[in-house]
């Protein structure tokens, strides 16, 4: 379809695929002539996790075109380097091994919404007598059943972990053999934790000193023990530091390379595809392409980042994502999308918030309708995704769309002519032992196959510079952090921004809900029926101060925006903390604005990650 109304109005006229392709290719060629290829930027994230339709063929296209490189850092990018500083890899344990643990620590993740399939294994462990701890400022459904519920102030988990290590070391509860043989810098850790005595940590975190001691003792003496670190927690200005501090705990108590014990953050290291064949970064050639961090897309569209100042983005091509609904500081993004001189293409199965601003809107097929291969953030399986039905209407897969655009752009490479099956075969031939026996033919027969891997780190070999688990990391120090670990206060808060805090004293958390996957499904009538609506959880003490009761409409607001929500007064959130679900659509939200209008576009301390949760607001009756 092509836009016939004003930008954002959502008025369309149907056109043919041929006209759409011609329009896009002509416009791209014109922009390349006048402004250079880097005036074109893709925007894409996790609408599907297909190796072909997300991580494969589109990358080939953008490399060949020479588009601005999008730093895809919205999700988990602080925790990855944080974990690597410690273990050299992110390589986490098998979620199925949860069933064999004696202590499961759910740290900054809401399993009941975002990782439901793991609960079966957690419950199996509990049936066998395992204990459960949740560390989360918000009490989640799993946390409601925990043996120990720890509710730190948001953004203080590094202090908590360091305080626990203080107790474990002081009481001699650490694994002397593991520490002596397989770690580096224990002496430095001993010194560091002295700065985190329990009383001070209790003050920083708001967790009672005795609870910290209980948790430390329980963790050090119940074996095997697992720590599962979530992604939500690290979307903070100090999120990398928090994950780094937590990642040291398993090594201190020897829970590394042990079945039923260990650590898991993300298992992307097991996506053992042939990435070079898949993405063809060589197609960039000698060009040095500029980058835009996706968390700054609003600023970038307005020429307010270093790389875009004076060199405006002229075309935005959105697929697998709905930036206006999911990204940060969305009022700014809206301004950018309204630019008359911006050519916007959106490829989506649905007419999303972002689609309303498109000049050309292309109907994307869904994963029910195309072939692909998938792995996920955690599980140890490679799965073949076969189409259940042919594409409905005139929808096409990303693969088909990029292949045809490549043709129209005159890209001669054969890699743009490959079918999904061709690309899958290529991608699986990485020679990585994890994929031993996992071939296209085997997947056609079995549909899902487990990677070949025993207990991670069973051989006690680590890909760190020292070959050991690094309590002290020179690389971390060189990157400007404390080389052991440290707590620093969040970028918006009482300590760092007291004036802002005086105006906006509530920490606003916007984690996932069971009803959506990020922004997906809000438009489905079935989901609309079961979705509780734009609820904000607020602690009774905060509600009382503001004369707010359950069911009342309120505004949450800060300097970035204002959003209308319905109050739910609940002790599930700590005083000073409020929570509302992430990424409903603007157009189905009251007054046409969702919670991401309030979200900061500051970047986190590691990996350029988003900082949705370092977000101060005020809440008042509407
Ligand atoms: N407030 C707040 N906001 C957040 C977060 C948060 O914690 N708090 N979390 C962030 C995180 S972690 C993430 S990963 C992002 C995710 O945000 P996005 O990357 O935007 O992911 P989704 O909303 O899941 O899907 C985006 C779009 O992809 C479309 N889609 C699905 N399949 C296909 C396909 O095959 N082809 C094409 N072309 N499109 C398809 C869907 O219809 C949907 O409109 O959200 C972020 N937003
Ligand atoms: N149903 C459903 N499932 C999903 C998604 C979805 O939107 N809906 N999104 C998918 C995606 S893209 C991702 S990345 C994952 C995300 O999965 P999770 O890691 O579970 O991410 P979130 O729900 O964003 O945040 C998890 C928890 O972090 C807590 N948290 C926030 N700040 C802090 C802090 O400072 N300390 C501690 N300890 N906890 C904190 C929040 O209260 C929240 O309960 O889920 C995936 N699965
Ligand atoms: Mo994510």
């Amino acid at each position: 379809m092509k836009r016939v109304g004003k930008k954002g109005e959502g008025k369309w006229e149907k056109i043919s695929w041929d006209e759409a392709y011609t329009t896009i290719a002509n416009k791209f060629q014109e922009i390349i002539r006048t402004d250079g290829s880097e005036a074109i930027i893709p925007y894409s994230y996790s609408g599907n996790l297909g190796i072909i339709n997300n991580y494969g063929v589109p990358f080939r296209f953008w490399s060949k075109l020479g588009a601005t490189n999008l730093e895809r850092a919205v999700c988990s990018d602080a925790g990855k380097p944080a974990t690597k500083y410690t273990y050299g890899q992110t390589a986490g344990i098998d979620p199925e091994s949860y069933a064999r643990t004696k202590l499961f620590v759910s740290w900054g993740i809401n399993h009941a919404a975002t990782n439901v399939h793991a609960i079966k294994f957690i419950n199996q462990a509990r049936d066998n007598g395992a204990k459960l701890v949740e560390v989360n400022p918000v009490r989640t459904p799993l946390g409601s059943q925990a043996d120990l519920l720890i509710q730190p102030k948001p953004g203080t988990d590094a202090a908590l972990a360091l305080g626990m290590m203080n107790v474990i070391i002081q009481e001699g509860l650490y694994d002397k053999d593991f520490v002596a043989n397989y770690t580096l810098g224990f002496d430095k850790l001993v010194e560091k934790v002295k700065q985190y005595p329990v009383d001070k940590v209790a003050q920083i975190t708001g967790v009672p000193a005795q609870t910290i001691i209980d948790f430390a003792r329980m963790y050090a003496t119940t074996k095997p023990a697992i720590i599962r670190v979530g992604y939500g927690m690290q979307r903070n200005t100090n999120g990398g530091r928090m994950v780094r501090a937590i990642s040291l705990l398993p090594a201190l108590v020897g829970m590394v390379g042990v079945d039923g014990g260990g650590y898991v953050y993300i298992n992307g290291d097991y996506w053992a595809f042939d990435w070079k064949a898949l993405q063809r970064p060589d197609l960039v050639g000698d060009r040095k392409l500029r980058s835009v961090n996706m968390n700054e897309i609003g600023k970038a569209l307005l020429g307010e980042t270093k790389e875009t100042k004076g060199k405006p983005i002229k075309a935005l091509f959105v697929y697998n994502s709905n930036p206006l609904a999911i990204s940060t500081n969305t009022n700014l993004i809206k301004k950018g999308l309204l630019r008359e001189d911006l050519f916007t293409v959106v490829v989506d199965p649905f007419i999303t918030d972002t689609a309303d601003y498109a000049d050309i809107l292309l109907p994307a097929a869904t994963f029910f309708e195309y072939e692909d291969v998938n792995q996920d953030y955690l599980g140890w399986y490679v799965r073949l995704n076969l189409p259940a039905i042919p594409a409905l209407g005139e929808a096409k897969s990303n693969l088909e769309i990029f292949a045809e655009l490549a043709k129209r752009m005159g890209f001669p490479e054969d890699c743009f002519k490959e079918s999904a099956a061709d690309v899958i075969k290529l991608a699986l031939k990485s020679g990585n032992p994890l994929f031993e026996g996992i071939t296209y033919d085997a997947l056609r027969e079995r549909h899902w196959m487990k990677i070949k891997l025993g207990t991670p780190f069973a051989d006690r070999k680590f890909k760190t510079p020292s070959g050991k688990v690094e309590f002290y990391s020179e690389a971390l120090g060189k990157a400007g952090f404390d080389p052991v670990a440290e707590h620093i206060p969040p970028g918006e808060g009482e300590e760092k921004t007291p004036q802002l805090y005086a105006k906006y004293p509530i920490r606003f958390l916007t984690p996932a809900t069971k009803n959506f996957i990020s922004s997906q499904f809000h438009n489905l009538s079935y989901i609309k029926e079961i979705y509780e609506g734009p609820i904000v959880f607020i602690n009774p003490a905060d509600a009382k101060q503001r004369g707010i009761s359950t069911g009342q409409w309120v505004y949450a607001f800060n300097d970035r925006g204002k959003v209308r929500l319905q109050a739910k007064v609940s002790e599930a959130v700590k005083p000073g903390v409020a929570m509302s679900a992430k990424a409903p659509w603007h157009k189905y939200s009251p007054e046409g604005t969702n919670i991401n209008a309030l979200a900061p576009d500051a970047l986190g301390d590691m990996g350029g990650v988003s900082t949705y949760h370092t977000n101060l607001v005020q809440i008042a009756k509407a």
Side-chain angles (χ1 to χ4, degrees):
M1 297 204 278
K2 74 172 179 199
R3 176 169 66 84
V4 290
K6 290 200 190 102
K7 293 208 177 206
E9 237 176 31
K11 285 203 185 131
W12 309 100
E13 187 182 293
K14 199 173 159 180
I15 56 172
S16 66
W17 271 103
D18 183 57
E19 184 182 341
Y21 286 134
T22 307
T23 309
I24 298 167
N26 285 350
K27 192 74 193 174
F28 276 9
Q29 267 147 358
E30 179 196 318
I31 291 172
I32 293 170
R33 269 195 311 273
T34 55
D35 298 80
S37 62
E38 287 170 286
I40 301 169
I41 188 171
Y43 189 100
S44 144
Y45 204 71
S46 60
N48 73 71
L49 296 188
I51 291 300
I52 308 302
N53 284 283
N54 187 346
Y55 304 103
V57 174
F59 280 82
R60 297 174 172 181
F61 182 85
W62 300 119
S63 289
K64 175 72 190 174
L65 185 131
T68 287
N69 170 49
L70 185 77
E71 287 168 31
R72 292 172 166 82
V74 70
C75 181
S76 55
D77 291 78
K80 287 178 204 166
T83 299
K84 281 186 192 165
Y85 286 123
T86 308
Y87 298 105
Q89 282 172 280
T90 55
I93 57 168
D94 181 353
E96 289 173 303
S97 73
Y98 297 176
R100 299 188 290 277
T101 196
K102 287 292 169 212
L103 174 63
F104 188 85
V105 182
S106 172
W107 200 317
I109 163 174
N110 178 6
H111 279 93
T114 64
N115 205 178
V116 196
H117 34 326
I119 289 186
K120 167 180 158 184
F121 303 112
I122 298 170
N123 282 344
Q124 282 173 2
R126 293 173 70 205
D127 287 345
N128 291 323
K131 292 226 158 32
L132 174 66
V133 180
E134 169 161 284
V135 187
N136 198 321
V138 177
R139 191 184 68 225
T140 71
L142 196 65
S144 300
Q145 307 170 29
D147 295 278
L148 196 57
L149 174 66
I150 316 266
Q151 289 191 280
K153 285 184 199 160
T156 64
D157 300 64
L160 177 62
L162 284 156
M164 286 171 70
M165 291 191 272
N166 180 319
V167 175
I168 292 169
I169 291 172
Q170 256 189 39
E171 300 192 358
L173 298 175
Y174 60 97
D175 185 328
K176 279 131 208 145
D177 174 64
F178 188 88
V179 165
N181 292 306
Y182 306 111
T183 70
L184 178 81
F186 180 63
D187 51 330
K188 305 253 179 27
L189 180 65
V190 171
E191 284 310 305
K192 181 52 55 182
V193 300
K194 284 183 185 153
Q195 296 170 21
Y196 295 88
V198 178
D199 288 336
K200 181 175 157 195
V201 171
Q203 230 171 25
I204 297 173
T205 59
V207 178
Q210 191 56 48
T211 308
I212 299 167
I213 295 169
D214 292 346
F215 181 22
R217 287 180 183 156
M218 187 196 250
Y219 178 67
T221 58
T222 318
K223 291 184 177 175
I226 287 172
I227 296 181
R228 157 73 158 105
V229 178
Y231 314 116
M233 182 184 64
Q234 47 93 63
R235 283 177 216 124
N236 269 304
T237 52
N238 55 357
R241 288 174 172 89
M242 292 200 279
V243 176
R244 161 68 182 175
I246 298 165
S247 76
L248 302 180
L249 276 161
L252 188 61
V253 300
M255 281 296 112
V256 181
V258 177
D259 183 55
Y263 171 93
V264 60
Y265 172 66
I266 202 164
N267 283 336
D269 279 4
Y270 306 147
W271 294 30
F273 300 97
D274 183 341
W275 290 103
K276 282 198 178 132
L278 198 51
Q279 300 188 329
R280 297 293 305 272
D282 57 295
L283 294 175
V284 173
D286 298 334
R287 296 172 289 186
K288 282 262 169 299
L289 301 172
R290 70 173 174 181
S291 286
V292 162
N293 184 312
M294 67 188 293
N295 302 310
E296 298 184 315
I297 191 66
K299 283 184 195 158
L301 289 176
L302 295 167
E304 289 171 13
T305 67
K306 211 175 103 211
E307 301 248 34
T308 54
K309 202 166 262 166
K311 285 193 290 175
I313 291 169
K314 286 295 183 67
L316 170 71
F317 191 104
V318 179
Y319 58 102
N320 289 354
S321 190
N322 182 4
L324 194 52
I326 66 96
S327 189
T328 50
N329 202 355
T330 55
N331 285 332
L332 206 65
I333 299 178
K334 204 176 275 184
K335 252 195 200 163
L337 290 172
L338 280 169
R339 266 178 47 202
E340 279 307 325
D341 62 336
L342 179 73
F343 175 68
T344 302
V345 180
V346 172
V347 190
D348 205 287
F350 302 106
I351 304 181
T352 62
D353 285 336
T354 313
D356 286 343
Y357 293 79
D359 296 287
I360 298 285
L361 174 55
L362 306 178
T366 68
F367 69 92
F368 295 112
E369 302 163 319
Y370 53 72
E371 183 170 13
D372 216 319
V373 68
N374 294 80
Q375 258 180 287
D376 60 87
Y377 278 33
L378 216 60
W380 284 22
Y381 292 88
V382 179
R383 287 106 45 178
L384 186 66
N385 180 91
L386 292 173
I389 52 166
L392 293 176
E394 293 182 65
K396 291 186 194 296
S397 69
N398 294 343
L399 170 81
E400 292 171 282
I401 293 169
F402 281 103
E404 186 59 31
L405 278 176
K407 202 160 125 195
R408 306 284 177 124
M409 294 295 293
F411 298 166
E413 285 79 5
D414 286 338
C415 68
F416 294 111
K417 296 175 191 131
E418 288 166 355
S419 70
D422 293 337
V423 188
I424 296 171
K425 283 177 197 163
L426 255 183
L428 287 171
K429 269 192 215 132
S430 61
N432 190 313
L434 289 172
F435 278 8
E436 196 195 307
I438 305 181
T439 62
Y440 183 72
D441 290 339
L443 279 173
R444 281 299 293 214
E445 211 171 285
R446 311 243 317 256
H447 301 282
W448 44 270
M449 293 175 80
K450 196 163 186 175
I451 54 165
K452 291 271 173 324
L453 184 64
T455 304
F457 304 124
D459 59 2
R460 309 283 199 271
K461 290 200 173 107
F462 304 94
K463 290 183 177 164
T464 52
S466 64
K468 301 192 168 188
V469 179
E470 298 200 345
F471 289 137
Y472 176 88
S473 161
E474 212 177 281
L476 186 61
K478 277 201 184 128
F481 301 94
D482 184 294
V484 178
E486 68 192 312
H487 163 74
I488 61 157
E492 289 188 5
E494 218 166 339
E495 288 126 301
K496 285 259 166 103
T497 56
Q499 278 170 342
L500 199 71
Y501 181 77
K503 260 166 85 184
Y504 305 123
I506 304 259
R507 255 306 268 280
F508 193 47
L509 306 183
T510 54
T513 157
K514 66 185 191 317
N515 295 314
F516 309 150
I517 305 279
S518 299
S519 71
Q520 294 191 69
F521 314 142
H522 194 178
N523 53 324
L524 306 186
S525 53
Y526 167 74
I527 295 290
K528 277 185 181 157
E529 265 175 41
I530 60 167
Y531 167 53
E532 306 87 343
I535 303 282
V536 59
F537 285 73
I538 173 167
N539 183 273
D542 296 318
K544 195 167 165 219
Q545 240 182 38
R546 292 165 177 76
I548 293 169
S549 49
T550 294
Q552 271 183 345
W553 287 95
V554 299
Y555 282 111
F557 55 96
N558 59 21
D559 291 340
R560 293 176 284 267
K562 177 173 141 189
V563 52
R564 191 178 163 91
L565 301 164
Q566 199 172 21
K568 178 159 176 114
V569 180
S570 164
E571 281 174 358
V573 292
K574 285 180 73 83
V577 176
M579 175 186 73
S580 188
K582 83 168 166 183
W585 289 22
H586 289 282
K587 60 176 137 183
Y588 303 132
S589 298
E591 300 178 5
T593 302
N594 83 9
I595 44 93
N596 276 334
L598 277 50
D601 50 13
L603 303 182
D605 56 353
M606 292 185 195
V609 82
S610 60
T611 57
Y612 292 96
H613 299 315
T614 306
N615 185 6
L616 287 181
V617 304
Q618 178 57 290
I619 295 180
K621 271 203 275 197

